[in-house]
Amino acid sequence: MRRLTIGIVAAAFVFVPAGANAQSFTFKSKSHATDAVSVNSGQSLITDVISKSNATITYENGEKEENASTCANWTVPPGTPFTSNGICTFVTKSGGKGTIVFGCRDDAKTNTSDCWGALHGTAGRFKGKTGTISWHQALDADGMTGNDAGTGMWN
């Protein structure tokens, strides 16, 4: 259930102080899977997991903000740079909204993932902004909940 990672990352990208130019941030989040679907494609098993997360974002100036995200994460065929891809939507308590498109390298042996993605602001103070994000996720023993920590930057 490596797909849980997506929801957590989305939560981190939503918080950028108004009027800022490029701004770095770090985040920590907790996510949980809410649904999953698996299909045998004939060559491999494709699994899609839907997750929700809540994150605390800390900007380089010390400002903190909370956000919530919903993500979908699915496995990809062997031979690609990532083992899963995903998308997220997020909203901050202050009304900022955006999306994250990402790829992850999942490690089933350690139940961890490393992910990288692109941010796109769609409303509020993020509208028209872009950025990057990366994070590490460790799943809990149940495989349905996880903890994420990462960093990013809004341009």
Side-chain angles (χ1 to χ4, degrees):
M1 288 265 149
R2 288 288 1 123
R3 303 324 114 208
L4 184 56
T5 327
I6 302 174
I8 300 179
V9 176
F13 291 112
V14 219
F15 303 103
V16 175
N21 290 321
Q23 182 159 15
S24 300
F25 61 88
T26 60
F27 68 94
K28 290 185 179 185
S29 63
K30 180 81 173 173
S31 62
H32 64 280
T34 60
D35 204 357
V37 176
S38 293
V39 175
N40 189 331
S41 70
Q43 295 178 341
S44 63
L45 182 65
I46 300 169
T47 302
D48 184 358
V49 175
I50 306 298
S51 63
K52 294 194 177 279
S53 67
N54 293 302
T56 299
I57 293 88
T58 303
Y59 292 98
E60 61 191 345
N61 66 1
E63 177 186 358
K64 292 188 181 215
E65 192 165 23
E66 303 294 318
N67 84 348
S69 64
T70 301
C71 300
N73 183 246
W74 55 90
T75 55
V76 297
T80 61
F82 297 111
T83 53
S84 65
N85 289 329
I87 56 173
C88 297
T89 60
F90 64 83
V91 62
T92 66
K93 289 191 177 187
S94 63
K97 295 181 181 180
T99 62
I100 301 168
V101 176
F102 64 94
C104 297
R105 295 197 50 89
D106 308 312
D107 185 342
K109 291 179 184 175
T110 61
N111 225 16
T112 61
S113 295
D114 290 301
C115 304
W116 302 266
L119 297 170
H120 178 72
T122 59
R125 67 181 178 182
F126 306 116
K127 186 172 180 124
K129 292 185 178 251
T130 60
T132 60
I133 189 169
S134 63
W135 69 97
H136 178 80
Q137 180 184 53
L139 288 179
D140 295 340
D142 66 5
M144 300 298 289
T145 56
N147 293 289
D148 303 275
T151 186
M153 184 174 73
W154 283 101
N155 297 317

